[in-house]
Amino acid sequence: MPGIGAPLWDKLSETVESGWCPGLVAGIRLNGQTEIFATGSLGVGRSAPMGEDTPFRISSLSKLLGGALALSLLADGTLELDEDVSRMFSVLGHLRVLATPDAPLSVSVPARGPITLRHLLTFTAGFGIDFAPTPYAAATRDLLWGPNPPDLTHEEYLARLAALPLAHQPGDLWMYHSCADLLSVVMAKAADSSVGQLLQERVNGPFGLTGTGFPTGKDTFPTVYEAVDGQLKEAVSYRDAMAAPPIFESLAGGLVSTVPDYLRFLAQLADDAVLPASLRQQMTDDQLTSPQRTGMIEMSGPDESWGFMTAVQTGPGAPWSEPGMWGWAGGSGTSAAVYPNGDAGVVFTQRFMSGPQDSFDYFWEPFGALRASVCR
């Protein structure tokens, strides 16, 4: 008997058959029912089929797991939301800030205040990816830009970060990605544990996530591709960076997961099983001021803002979306979100996004149509 998601699965099969990607796995929770679908193969020229439990490198979808993990440490008092992180890392105690965002790195002023956990969760600590052609962007490209996790120990990472000025004063502007790396270091220090152990103890174990964690070197991943001149070309540097256990356990983009695991995580989070309801609500509510949102708007447009390590829809958005929806996407071709009523969708592919404007409409448009037909 066909499942509730059959019309969506037909559309996804057409996407794979068109050659857009060799294969994909998707999952939905709709009206409380959960379904998983896999189609295609692990790669061009690879005969092994995609399976429902195929592990993927989920890149920036790691951030939502990182947000939930950080807030679990907030819930038990291990961390405080407005705590100065330099209390744990004295090297971050005398921060400098560029005099202007396009200034040479040598032209800086003292920071007006410290970096806090709140700043890291909201990506407003003053550092991150600068998409403009500035001296800061050039100097930080190999440290702060994804998708590969830093090839550094925590101590090496902190030393390099502290040697740089911030691009903006703490609290002034949303900047993408890199706060999640420092957040990973902060959590490990505060809990006196590795990030991987924390994830296992607080999320994976309690909620039955058996395929989520950091790469082991024994994973059988789909081949990951970049679209170059209309052709799929293997993303070799990304493959190699995720081919062994990491030196730096990054919640910015370093995790591996499966669609059943990730959908289960989203459902448990939405149902307030992972966090106290008040903290989950804060995580998935807009946490940015209008001035801070300027950075987010430059990347994602006027209808999205940021909570704690997740995007939050604040405007009308695409026809298939709703205000109050939350979730994010990963540059390696992954997308996940939860609707205000608890419906959720996840799609993992092995085709890299070519830029911030890349769309997952091939999944979300038919899922939106499915939701509309089921709700009639």
Side-chain angles (χ1 to χ4, degrees):
M1 180 176 179
I4 193 172
L8 172 60
W9 309 148
D10 289 343
K11 292 291 187 181
L12 295 182
S13 294
E14 291 173 7
T15 298
V16 170
E17 290 164 5
S18 74
W20 187 84
C21 65
L24 58 80
V25 186
I28 58 173
R29 182 171 80 155
L30 182 57
N31 287 352
Q33 298 183 53
T34 297
E35 290 185 13
I36 308 295
F37 174 75
T39 186
S41 69
L42 295 182
V44 176
R46 295 178 68 178
S47 59
M50 282 287 187
E52 292 184 358
D53 60 352
T54 293
F56 284 76
R57 312 163 184 92
I58 63 171
S59 54
S60 284
L61 285 188
S62 305
K63 293 178 171 69
L64 275 79
L65 283 153
L69 192 57
L71 292 175
S72 78
L73 294 170
L74 187 67
D76 69 13
T78 303
L79 288 171
E80 296 179 9
L81 195 55
D82 293 305
E83 181 177 3
D84 177 355
V85 300
S86 72
R87 294 178 183 173
M88 284 182 273
F89 304 110
S90 59
V91 69
L92 298 176
H94 302 284
L95 298 171
R96 305 283 298 181
V97 182
L98 291 176
T100 61
D102 59 353
L105 269 63
S106 59
V107 183
S108 63
V109 298
R112 291 195 299 263
I115 291 173
T116 67
L117 179 66
R118 186 189 300 273
H119 293 145
L120 297 180
L121 289 166
T122 57
F123 286 11
T124 60
F127 68 95
I129 296 177
D130 181 358
F131 294 103
T134 63
Y136 177 85
T140 59
R141 184 172 295 273
D142 68 335
L143 181 67
L144 303 183
W145 291 59
N148 299 345
D151 191 23
L152 302 165
T153 66
H154 283 183
E155 292 74 20
E156 291 168 337
Y157 174 82
L158 285 169
R160 289 191 58 186
L161 185 66
L164 292 164
L166 300 176
H168 299 274
Q169 290 286 347
D172 275 8
L173 189 75
W174 185 92
M175 294 187 77
Y176 188 50
H177 185 66
S178 311
C179 284
D181 277 334
L182 181 53
L183 179 65
S184 304
V185 179
V186 167
M187 283 193 283
K189 176 70 170 180
D192 192 23
S193 175
S194 72
V195 177
Q197 288 171 328
L198 285 172
L199 187 66
Q200 180 61 36
E201 293 167 1
R202 291 172 176 259
V203 180
N204 293 357
F207 301 105
L209 310 189
T210 59
T212 300
F214 292 100
T216 65
K218 300 177 182 178
D219 311 282
T220 301
F221 293 121
T223 307
V224 65
Y225 297 96
E226 296 173 292
V228 180
D229 298 327
Q231 302 293 319
L232 294 181
K233 179 181 178 182
E234 186 173 3
V236 175
S237 66
Y238 186 65
R239 176 201 68 193
D240 291 348
M242 300 286 283
I247 295 173
F248 189 110
E249 293 184 332
S250 167
L251 292 169
L255 287 175
V256 171
S257 191
T258 66
V259 166
D261 265 19
Y262 206 87
L263 186 61
R264 186 178 301 115
F265 161 69
L266 289 181
Q268 295 288 335
L269 185 59
D271 293 345
D272 296 328
V274 178
L275 296 170
S278 61
L279 280 180
R280 196 280 306 161
Q281 190 67 51
Q282 288 181 67
M283 178 177 175
T284 59
D285 276 349
D286 181 9
Q287 294 292 335
L288 300 184
T289 65
S290 293
Q292 289 170 340
R293 279 188 68 187
T294 303
M296 180 81 182
I297 290 170
E298 289 173 353
M299 180 172 173
S300 297
D303 293 331
E304 274 197 318
S305 191
W306 198 253
F308 289 154
M309 294 277 278
T310 180
V312 181
Q313 186 171 324
T314 54
W320 47 261
S321 67
E322 296 177 20
M325 197 172 179
W326 51 272
W328 196 229
S332 58
T334 58
S335 180
V338 178
Y339 287 84
N341 73 342
D343 290 346
V346 178
V347 60
F348 289 178
T349 79
Q350 74 258 66
R351 176 176 168 138
F352 250 89
M353 298 172 68
S354 60
Q357 303 310 312
D358 251 10
S359 168
F360 289 88
D361 285 354
Y362 66 86
F363 172 76
W364 292 107
E365 283 183 357
F367 185 34
L370 178 63
R371 292 182 73 240
S373 67
V374 168
C375 291
R376 286 199 187 110

